[in-house]
Amino acid sequence: VSGGDDGGLRAMAKEFAGAWPYLELIAHGSGLTDPLDRRVVEAYWVGSPRLDQLGIPAIANSMEDRFRFKSGPQFSSLAEGVLAGGVPHHSFAVFCIYPWVGLLGDDRRAAQALTVLDRCRIRWGRVLSLDGDQVVVESAPLTWDGRRLDYGPPQAETVVRSIGGVGMVQKLEVGDWVSLHWEWVCDKVSERQRRFLRHFTDRHMAIVNEAGAHSGPAAMLG
């Protein structure tokens, strides 16, 4: 959307408090001027080497500005995620910022929390079949054994690529890899992109597993 009429997309993106500050941080830290530059957007949602170019001080300062007042004494648990290697990838927000990991320890809420974590993260799946607006993909869901998050065996699920033929990705074939968010197909991804997505998801899950589930912020901060 750089340099042209974006139909109001930029204004809407700035209102998306869960992602816009991360996009600004990635752009500034990697020498790009536009937070909606394709390379910046890809780094946040999928992953790229740009994320590891950002220094801990820059990420920590951004976290301080956004979350210290909101999270109060729980800010230290958020800061620990940065010190442990967290970077501004969507999986960092899902696993290390949002409160759902903290709810896994509550037997009454664990199932719902696991579902939200699994659906909200950007996951990857391989296309098995296509039928109009719907796609059947095979994807590995998250599991929780009471102590650790992990991936379960791949399962087939039906997701949406469009409504009435209008969607974010049109040309798909059986065998393609796609990125998924909630029940939607986001985009077709290359093998390289899939590896980056898996790499950064694994990194932030490992931070959670090594630290142990904590209470997290009382309200969703992303």
Side-chain angles (χ1 to χ4, degrees), residues 11-23:
M12 288 188 290
K14 288 182 178 180
E15 295 299 316
F16 186 9
W20 185 256
Y22 292 119
L23 297 175

Side-chain angles (χ1 to χ4, degrees), residues 139-157:
S139 180
L142 293 181
T143 62
W144 169 250
D145 66 1
R147 294 184 301 173
R148 295 180 63 83
L149 283 167
D150 205 343
Y151 302 105
Q155 298 178 3
E157 60 173 303

Side-chain angles (χ1 to χ4, degrees), residues 14 33 41 47-48 91 94 100 121 124 141 147 150 161 166 170 189 195 209-210:
K14 288 182 178 180
T33 59
V41 174
S48 84
S91 62
V94 171
W100 298 102
R121 71 184 174 107
W124 52 95
R147 294 184 301 173
D150 205 343
R161 69 166 171 175
V166 178
Q170 297 298 320
V189 294
R195 288 198 302 268
N209 286 334
E210 290 168 10

